[in-house]
Amino acid sequence: MNDPLSAPAPLADDGWQSLPPAARRVAGITGAIAGLVVGTLVAVPVAVAVDAGLALKLALGAVLWLALPVLALAWARVRWRRTSWRLDERGLQVRRGVFWRKEVLVPRSRVQHLDLERGPIERHFGLATLVVHTAGTRMHALRQSGFFDADAVALRDALLPEADRHDDSL
């Protein structure tokens, strides 16, 4: 049985790949959780500050508390749809952004080290976040979530500097 969440991302003619459908689901879940937290932090003070009866305060608080997770979920899915990546001889490229499109190229020669992160929700869906640290200050890194775990491992291995691939000594 083919699971649409585990289907490989389609490969475009120019090499750009979309993130898998499972990444959309993870983005939606994490967006909704963040929306619930922010909704709670916003709904309570706004409902308390409104000069109205208790029923209107509760209704306003409930609308805010429920609307923010829904908006966050929708926004996460739009961001997922607008993210793609490709690996070529130059390095890893990532395109993302909804209003302001951003394209990042991490040349293989600039890669310092790579990390894989797998949170509990990502692990459940077989996903990982690839963190590519580049030459420069400690804040220079590309963090891209939503890769299948196997793809993230393959990307990590492919981006390793050539000198590090054959280094058997510590």
Side-chain angles (χ1 to χ4, degrees):
M1 178 173 174
N2 286 342
D3 180 8
L5 294 178
S6 63
L11 182 63
D13 291 337
D14 58 0
W16 288 98
Q17 293 187 354
S18 301
L19 295 175
R24 180 186 68 219
R25 186 169 282 176
V26 169
I29 291 168
T30 56
I33 291 170
L36 279 173
V37 171
V38 172
T40 301
L41 295 173
V42 169
V44 171
V46 168
V48 169
V50 169
D51 187 24
L54 181 60
L56 185 59
K57 286 183 177 202
L58 289 175
L60 178 62
V63 166
L64 284 172
W65 188 70
L66 294 174
L68 288 173
V70 170
L71 291 173
L73 182 137
W75 182 253
R77 288 178 170 224
V78 169
R79 286 185 61 215
W80 167 82
R81 190 177 311 120
R82 298 297 305 250
T83 302
S84 58
W85 64 277
R86 76 176 173 186
L87 179 67
D88 59 19
E89 65 281 346
R90 295 183 305 161
L92 177 65
Q93 288 180 272
V94 176
R95 285 183 185 164
R96 58 184 169 202
V98 177
F99 296 116
W100 288 271
R101 298 287 290 163
K102 182 177 184 178
E103 186 171 320
V104 178
L105 167 63
V106 180
R108 293 174 191 266
S109 62
R110 301 283 294 174
V111 173
Q112 294 293 306
H113 68 277
L114 299 116
D115 296 325
L116 291 178
E117 298 175 353
R118 299 171 184 94
I121 299 172
E122 284 180 315
R123 281 194 313 270
H124 178 74
F125 288 95
L127 300 175
T129 297
L130 178 67
V131 184
V132 183
H133 298 274
T134 60
T137 67
R138 64 186 174 100
M139 301 309 263
H140 285 82
L142 169 69
R143 175 182 304 276
Q144 181 59 53
S145 61
F147 291 116
F148 280 128
D149 192 62
D151 289 343
V153 170
L155 282 169
R156 179 195 63 194
D157 294 344
L159 287 170
L160 281 174
E162 195 63 38
D164 291 345
R165 290 185 191 180
H166 306 293
D167 188 9
D168 293 336
S169 63
L170 292 176

